[in-house]
């Protein structure tokens, strides 16, 4: 006898603010073709450090993805975990299984998260504490890493190779955030890539998710 199980109802809520980490999570959900509700968190007002928010993430940070089903809730509190989750359940191939392609996507993804985005976050924090010299050194390093990222862009035009992937998601928000510090005439491949990525509807939806 064939028993058809009813599809489990599931909703996704993304808590966040207009920051790079939150925008990357929103872009991944949008590019994955997933329906989600946006919940804006008032970071300046300290909403993230009060209940009921702390019940969702005791670290008091965004983004947070809450998936609710009949069986209960699951919560992700790391932007990169949200990106990989979106890739795993996506109908679109945001992180292909084919080993050589996957390898390229992961290489570029971690290049941007570790060598660019992390340094940008540290530089921001140091500057806010008046450590201008240390902040400038890190800024110099991550800008140089962005400039060097042109090597990922062959004729195929995406950070991970022939198609849009998690690597483009990692790269896009940070390149956009520091666009005015880049010498664009010397970066033709990166400039063409940025235009190509900015034109995608999923990217636009994610960039605007938190206003
Ligand atoms: N590793 C975390 C970092 C999360 C994070 O630092 N979030 C910032 C905004 S981008 C935040 O919530 N800051 C508020 C605070 O620290 O009070 C991730 O990638 O999701």
């Amino acid at each position: 006898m064939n028993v058809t199980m009813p599809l489990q109802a599931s909703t996704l809520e993304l808590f966040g603010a207009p920051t790079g980490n939150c925008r990357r999570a929103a872009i991944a959900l949008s590019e994955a073709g997933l329906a989600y509700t946006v919940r804006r968190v008032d970071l300046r007002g300290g909403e993230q450090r009060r209940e009921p928010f702390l019940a969702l993430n005791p670290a008091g940070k965004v983004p947070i993805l809450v998936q609710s089903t009949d069986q209960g809730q699951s919560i992700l509190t790391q932007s990169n975990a949200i990106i990989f989750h979106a890739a795993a359940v996506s109908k679109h191939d945001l992180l292909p299984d084919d080993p050589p392609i996957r390898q390229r996507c992961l290489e570029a993804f971690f290049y941007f998260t570790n060598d660019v985005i992390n340094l940008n976050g540290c530089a921001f924090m140091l500057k806010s504490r008046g450590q201008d010299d240390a902040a400038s050194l890190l800024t110099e390093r991550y800008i140089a890493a962005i400039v060097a990222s042109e090597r990922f862009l062959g004729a195929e035009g995406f950070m991970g190779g022939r198609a849009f992937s998690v690597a483009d998601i990692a790269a896009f928000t940070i390149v956009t955030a520091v666009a005015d510090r880049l010498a664009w005439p010397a970066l033709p491949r990166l400039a063409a890539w940025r235009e190509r990525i900015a034109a995608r509807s999923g990217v636009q939806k994610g960039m605007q998710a938190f206003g």
Side-chain angles (χ1 to χ4, degrees):
M1 185 174 74
N2 271 338
V3 178
T4 310
M5 296 294 287
L7 275 179
Q8 205 179 68
S10 162
T11 60
L12 288 176
E13 288 172 289
L14 183 65
F15 291 75
T19 71
N21 286 329
C22 297
R23 287 185 171 136
R24 277 188 293 284
I27 290 172
L29 296 174
S30 301
E31 283 286 344
L34 300 171
Y36 62 98
T37 306
V38 169
R39 305 275 182 226
R40 174 87 187 249
V41 178
D42 176 13
L43 294 186
R44 277 170 199 245
E47 193 185 349
Q48 74 279 19
R49 289 190 288 271
R50 294 193 294 267
E51 294 297 351
F53 188 90
L54 286 176
L56 293 176
N57 183 9
K61 290 189 189 302
V62 288
I64 300 177
L65 182 68
V66 179
Q67 179 166 22
S68 305
T69 69
D70 299 344
Q71 312 295 311
Q73 276 189 338
S74 69
I75 297 176
L76 290 174
T77 65
Q78 287 292 328
S79 55
N80 292 331
I82 296 170
I83 293 171
F84 279 85
H85 172 70
V89 299
S90 172
K91 292 183 211 86
H92 313 280
D93 227 354
L94 296 178
L95 182 57
D97 283 334
D98 186 42
I101 300 176
R102 190 179 184 87
Q103 203 173 304
R104 277 185 70 174
C105 291
L106 291 176
E107 175 77 4
F109 179 87
F110 287 111
Y111 180 88
F112 278 99
T113 54
N114 292 344
D115 297 356
V116 181
I117 294 169
N118 284 349
L119 295 198
N120 168 266
C122 293
F124 178 80
M125 197 173 288
L126 287 166
K127 196 160 175 57
S128 72
R129 300 283 162 93
Q131 306 282 328
D132 288 4
D133 285 353
S136 298
L137 174 65
L138 295 185
T139 301
E140 225 172 80
R141 294 237 172 139
Y142 77 72
I143 294 289
I146 291 177
V147 168
S149 77
E150 274 227 321
R151 72 170 184 266
F152 292 119
L153 295 166
E156 296 151 322
F158 294 94
M159 288 293 172
R162 256 172 288 165
F164 181 86
S165 76
V166 293
D168 299 292
I169 297 174
F172 185 73
T173 51
I174 188 68
V175 170
T176 299
V178 301
D180 60 351
R181 294 187 209 169
L182 298 171
W184 287 106
L187 299 169
R189 279 179 287 172
L190 197 67
W193 165 85
R194 190 175 162 222
E195 256 181 53
R196 191 174 312 119
I197 303 302
R200 297 177 68 89
S201 60
V203 171
Q204 289 171 5
K205 189 179 167 205
M207 288 297 279
Q208 288 152 15
F210 298 101

